[in-house]
Amino acid sequence: MRDQFNREIEYARISVTDRCNLRCRYCMPASGVVKLPHDEILRIEEIIRVADMLARLGTRKVRLTGGEPLLRKNLPTLIRELKSLRGIEQVTLTTNGVLLERLAEDLITSGLDGINVSLDTLDAREFEKITRRGIFAEVHRGIQFLFDVGFRNVKLNCVPLRGVNEDNVIALAALAKNHDVKVRFIELMPFGCASQSGLIGMTSAEIISKLENHFGKLIPDTSSKFLQGPAKYFSIKNFVGQVGFIDALAHKFCGSCNRIRLTAEGFLKSCLCYDTGADVKKLLRSGASDEEILAVMRETIYRKPFEHSFGVAAGDARQMYQVGG
Ligand code: SAM
Ligand code: SF4
């Protein structure tokens, strides 16, 4: 369906848990994380019911996220059920990759269409500095597994941070030389922990300049791909894969935003920046009919805010791990 600004809302990011096995500095506090009680988290059947209603309202693509989505039990079942919903054309996942080696085969068999792995560096020490956990080897093996089985549609997402992983962007981009992978650089957003972390994000322009100094000219990919989203992609001579850039601050893409979010606790969130939305779990658990819930969801989507105000006003007390990115 279209919102009040005539944007087609067709992409749902569904968070399946607020738990995580890493503690990335820009996303979660080191300690004192308050976890949702289990019964406050949507059950698999509830997620499927909401996703079905979202599909009826025009959602075509679902991305599972978290917290760390691979910590959620029965994920392959959820993927299979989502894939069978009428109207849903793509089900993808964003993961930190820690459990990927163990679980990827089942996820792929269940019909997953794409996997984004968040990876800020290929340097084990830098990895530990950023994530506060020394388990880079697991993530590396998980990504290698995806390469080995030839899984199509792998993206690696890096948040470049000044003085932390800024030199490793070359090694990360170099993965796209021999592998059909998109290595994407995502601007740090001043959201929750990131604002207090003292970390400074780097702009796409800075990364492009670094990559061009090393690899030569980046060639813009102007072909329009299905539900590609806000990333701008570039090819590099003699590279099989591509590099991409997402900069929500430097280049606001709110005018073409097609997203709606469902948090693990069942809140339908209409913009990453604000707390606007609807408590769908309350409706689900109070016996509301599909028609009643659809009416609330329709209203929430229609009233989606026009644009974020990151850097100007803090609109939501939730942290990134509680929303799903
Ligand atoms: N745990 C999974 C992962 O890390 O991929 C999924 C959830 S995580 C919240 C989703 C994405 O949000 C990750 O790629 C992470 O790098 C990104 N992220 C978290 N906090 C961020 C911030 N302040 N600015 C930009 N990206 C952020
Ligand atoms: Fe966990 Fe992902 Fe947040 Fe890192 S970015 S703390 S892996 S939810």
Side-chain angles (χ1 to χ4, degrees):
M1 69 169 275
R2 288 184 181 269
D3 73 356
Q4 58 182 323
F5 303 107
N6 207 29
R7 295 173 295 194
E8 190 72 52
I9 309 305
E10 55 190 356
Y11 171 27
R13 293 181 68 98
I14 298 182
S15 171
V16 294
T17 180
D18 64 336
R19 314 296 205 255
C20 192
N21 40 11
L22 298 182
R23 289 288 180 275
C24 304
R25 290 176 186 277
Y26 47 69
C27 180
M28 279 183 104
S31 58
V33 175
V34 183
K35 293 178 192 157
L36 284 171
H38 273 290
D39 59 358
E40 290 300 322
I41 294 177
L42 286 191
R43 295 188 291 271
I44 296 283
E45 321 79 78
E46 290 174 321
I47 295 174
I48 293 162
R49 187 173 170 206
V50 178
D52 180 44
M53 287 188 265
L54 283 169
R56 285 197 253 164
L57 295 175
T59 290
R60 294 196 290 149
K61 172 175 167 178
V62 170
R63 174 170 298 281
L64 300 175
T65 177
E68 173 46 37
L70 300 197
L71 290 173
R72 180 81 196 234
K73 289 204 178 73
N74 300 326
L75 209 54
T77 309
L78 175 61
I79 293 166
R80 221 169 278 122
E81 295 277 339
L82 290 171
K83 289 279 292 180
S84 72
L85 294 177
R86 196 177 165 163
I88 299 296
E89 297 172 29
Q90 257 192 29
V91 178
T92 59
L93 176 82
T94 295
T95 172
N96 62 26
V98 172
L99 296 172
L100 206 47
E101 190 188 25
R102 216 179 302 166
L103 301 176
E105 200 169 335
D106 280 353
L107 297 172
I108 293 170
T109 311
S110 66
L112 197 64
D113 295 294
I115 302 183
N116 288 8
V117 186
S118 304
L119 179 67
D120 293 331
T121 178
L122 288 170
D123 179 296
R125 266 183 305 176
E126 277 176 21
F127 180 91
E128 183 167 359
K129 210 166 151 189
I130 297 169
T131 65
R132 301 189 181 101
R133 299 288 184 271
I135 45 178
F136 169 74
E138 278 89 329
V139 179
H140 195 243
R141 286 201 304 272
I143 294 169
Q144 192 56 50
F145 180 87
L146 296 181
F147 291 158
D148 290 347
V149 298
F151 184 69
R152 306 277 306 168
N153 201 3
V154 180
K155 295 179 190 135
L156 302 180
N157 291 339
C158 162
V159 179
L161 304 165
R162 191 175 307 289
V164 182
N165 59 345
E166 67 174 274
D167 292 331
N168 210 261
V169 298
I170 306 286
L172 281 167
L175 289 174
K177 188 168 179 16
N178 299 317
H179 299 290
D180 185 10
V181 62
K182 287 185 164 58
V183 179
R184 311 191 311 172
F185 298 96
I186 301 177
E187 206 178 7
L188 179 71
M189 316 241 310
F191 195 96
C193 283
S195 311
Q196 297 108 47
S197 64
L199 295 168
I200 301 168
M202 296 175 70
T203 63
S204 296
E206 289 174 285
I207 305 300
I208 289 174
S209 156
K210 268 180 180 290
L211 298 186
E212 289 198 325
N213 281 340
H214 193 85
F215 297 113
K217 192 88 192 123
L218 303 196
I219 307 141
D221 176 357
T222 48
S223 60
S224 142
K225 301 206 178 78
F226 174 66
L227 290 171
Q228 181 166 277
K232 292 195 189 84
Y233 290 106
F234 294 79
S235 303
I236 302 178
K237 198 169 169 219
N238 298 326
F239 272 49
V240 182
Q242 288 186 317
V243 291
F245 300 89
I246 301 178
D247 40 8
L249 295 178
H251 299 107
K252 255 189 191 179
F253 37 78
C254 302
S256 58
C257 183
N258 61 356
R259 298 170 181 205
I260 189 86
R261 293 175 166 83
L262 182 69
T263 69
E265 59 180 330
F267 185 81
L268 189 68
K269 188 169 157 54
S270 54
C271 176
L272 182 61
C273 184
Y274 311 103
D275 62 0
T276 51
D279 185 350
V280 172
K281 181 179 68 199
K282 198 165 159 193
L283 293 169
L284 291 170
R285 295 187 182 175
S286 64
S289 67
D290 279 10
E291 283 60 38
E292 286 164 326
I293 301 174
L294 276 164
V296 171
M297 289 170 64
R298 207 176 274 120
E299 179 72 7
T300 301
I301 294 173
Y302 184 75
R303 300 222 168 277
K304 185 174 156 64
F306 180 61
E307 60 185 0
H308 72 68
S309 55
F310 286 122
V312 181
D316 195 346
R318 292 180 181 90
Q319 302 276 351
M320 204 65 117
Y321 73 93
Q322 294 168 314
V323 176

